[in-house]
Every structure is written in C-alpha cells, then in structure tokens.
C-alpha cells in the first residue's frame, strides 16, 4: 500500500512533540503541505527542522481552545494552498495534572482538560468543515486515548471523560459530514512514552509496574509515536475512503 499526500494540505495540532511531531513529519515526508500548530513554539521549531519532504512545514503558535486563533490558522492554510484536505486533532493531554480524589478537583482543573481535548477538536473541525464541504472531500482524524474507552491509568477523571466525549464527537461529525465525502475517525493510543508527561508516568510505575504494564500488552512492547502516525496516515488516505465514525485502538493488543 503506497500512501501519498502530494497536493494535499494537512493541519496537525499539538505538533510540538510526541504524536503530533511524528504525524506532521510523516505527512510532510509523503508530499503534503503541512501546517503544524502548538503552544510550544520551541517544539514546533524542532518539528519543522526534523521534517523531510518537498515542502517546508509551516508552524504557528495556536492554543486550540481559542476559537478565533484556530479559525485564523485554517483560513491561512486555505488561502495559501487553496485547500484543506486533512485535519488531525492531536492537541490534548492532562496539562500536568495527576490523579487525585474526586472531591479535590477544582472547576478550573476540570474545564481546562475539556477545553484542549474536546473544545479544541470541535474548533478545528468547525473551521475546516466549510472548506471540506466545498471540495466535497476531506479527512478529520481525532486522537483520543485508551482512557476514553476505559479508564485513565493515572486516575484523572477529566481526562477519561474528555476523551470519551471526543469519541462521541467523532461519531456525530461522521454522520453530519458524510454526505460531502468527509470522513471522521478516531485513533485511541495505548501507553506510549512520547513526551515529558508520559516519561514521568512511566517512571512513577517503578520496575515492577513497568513490567506488568508491558506484560498486559499482547505484543509485549510499548508503542512508538510512529505507530500512532501510521494509523493516522491510513485514516487520511484514499484507501480508507469508506471508513468513518470509527475508533481504532493502537495499543499493541489488550
């Protein structure tokens, strides 16, 4: 299967490290014009510098919970290339939070995780939809988590809830946008050591906890950011043209 994206415009959020970096670089290597955004400007610079392909990765500092900033980025991409073919809603995470008892969770802690994981995905999809409808084609790929299908391994209530909500949004938008040839799918990664937060989580398990985590994976290994990027590439490809509203667990087998 030869997957290429020459002539296509791809927007990737949360591209300053981890999954987002691997996804942005994978699209760039396959010929796409990539617009990468994050709040981490230094990380974006590294993402762009490490990319290969016929087009330089364009970067922008964007907080995806800021609706106006998101719409500005999408309009910029459309104005400069004439198209918006793929959006990957990867921005998210736990924002430095750790598991705590329910009664200790503040309103701001709860809402901040929803803002980036759910509102951000909605904002990007909303901005991209008019362009995709006009083209009568497009791909929206959301990045959730195994926490959205089960529980948060670190006990973060808002994270598990937000990722479950994002999966619900995926299914709803698939039905709304399907008649214009737009597919909407979701990749649910298992545990991957991909950024400073997951590194801290890995270390917190200790040697015995790490061993148990890996033993509970059918393939007996942790995944990599490239494993997640490959699933996104498939959902964004022509080969996945009759797949929509689906959640693909990329977790090594559970």
């Amino acid at each position: 299967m030869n997957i290429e994206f020459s002539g296509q415009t791809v927007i990737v959020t949360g591209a300053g490290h981890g999954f987002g970096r691997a996804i942005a670089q994978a699209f760039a290597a396959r010929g796409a014009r990539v617009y990468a955004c994050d709040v981490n400007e230094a990380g974006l610079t590294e993402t762009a510098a490490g990319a290969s392909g016929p087009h330089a990765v364009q970067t922008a500092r964007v907080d995806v919970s800021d609706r106006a900033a998101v719409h500005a980025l999408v309009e910029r991409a459309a104005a400069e290339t004439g198209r918006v073919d793929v959006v990957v809603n990867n921005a998210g995470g736990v924002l430095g939070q750790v598991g705590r008892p329910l009664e200790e969770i503040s309103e701001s802690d709860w809402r901040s995780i929803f803002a980036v994981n759910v509102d951000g995905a909605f904002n990007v999809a909303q901005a991209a939809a008019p362009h995709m409808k006009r083209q009568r084609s497009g791909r929206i790929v959301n990045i959730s988590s195994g926490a959205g299908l089960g529980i948060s391994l670190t006990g973060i209530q808002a994270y598990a809830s937000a990722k479950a909500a994002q999966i619900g949004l995926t299914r709803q938008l698939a039905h709304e946008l399907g008649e214009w040839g737009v597919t909407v799918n979701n990749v649910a990664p298992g545990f991957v050591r991909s950024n400073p937060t997951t590194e801290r989580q890995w270390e917190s398990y200790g040697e015995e906890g790490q061993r148990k985590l890996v033993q509970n994976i059918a393939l007996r290994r942790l995944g990599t950011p490239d494993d997640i990027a490959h699933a996104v590439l498939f959902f964004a490809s022509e080969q996945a043209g009759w797949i929509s509203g689906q959640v693909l667990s990329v977790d090594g087998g559970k």
Side-chain angles (χ1 to χ4, degrees):
M1 184 182 296
N2 185 24
I3 296 177
E4 291 290 330
F5 296 94
S6 297
Q8 295 195 31
T9 300
V10 178
I11 298 171
V12 182
T13 71
H17 62 205
F19 298 159
R21 175 175 291 171
I23 292 165
Q25 292 177 343
F27 275 109
R30 290 161 177 81
R33 295 182 180 272
V34 176
Y35 288 75
C37 73
D38 203 304
V39 294
N40 177 1
E41 290 183 276
L44 284 174
T45 299
E46 292 180 14
T47 297
S52 62
H55 309 290
V57 171
Q58 303 299 309
T59 64
R61 187 190 186 282
V62 175
D63 178 345
V64 294
S65 67
D66 182 338
R67 183 175 180 273
V70 166
H71 280 251
L73 172 64
V74 173
E75 292 308 311
R76 172 192 162 192
E80 292 178 354
T81 69
R83 306 186 58 79
V84 177
D85 296 286
V86 181
V87 296
V88 182
N89 287 308
N90 171 70
V94 301
L95 306 182
Q97 296 187 37
V98 297
R100 290 170 291 151
L102 174 63
E103 56 270 28
E104 295 181 11
I105 309 303
S106 69
E107 180 179 2
S108 62
D109 286 344
W110 174 265
R111 292 191 180 281
S112 62
I113 286 181
F114 266 77
V116 67
N117 288 281
V118 186
D119 297 356
F122 176 83
N123 289 338
V124 177
Q126 184 182 59
H131 300 283
M132 293 181 172
K133 285 182 175 181
R134 185 167 57 251
Q135 296 163 189
R136 300 198 68 83
S137 67
R139 301 282 190 266
I140 298 173
V141 184
N142 298 323
I143 309 298
S144 61
S145 168
L149 296 169
I151 62 170
S152 165
L153 294 177
T154 51
I156 301 173
Q157 302 89 344
Y159 185 68
S161 302
K163 290 305 190 183
Q166 193 206 68
I167 289 170
L169 177 66
T170 298
R171 292 173 175 144
Q172 188 66 35
L173 293 183
H175 280 268
E176 178 176 341
L177 300 176
E179 65 180 287
W180 285 277
V182 178
T183 68
V184 189
N185 289 293
N186 196 295
V187 175
F191 182 77
V192 178
R193 297 169 63 185
S194 61
N195 58 53
T197 298
T198 54
E199 283 300 315
R200 288 192 295 272
Q201 184 178 343
W202 175 252
E203 292 300 326
S204 73
Y205 293 149
E207 186 175 334
E208 180 61 18
Q210 293 169 2
R211 186 190 66 78
K212 287 182 178 179
L213 189 152
V214 174
Q215 283 299 114
N216 285 330
I217 298 172
L219 290 175
R220 301 296 194 271
R221 71 168 178 88
L222 297 181
T224 69
D226 285 340
D227 289 320
I228 309 307
H230 294 158
V232 173
L233 292 175
F234 171 66
F235 272 146
S237 70
E238 292 183 5
Q239 288 86 344
W242 207 51
I243 301 173
S244 198
Q246 301 304 304
V247 183
L248 177 61
S249 293
V250 184
D251 57 12
K254 293 294 182 71

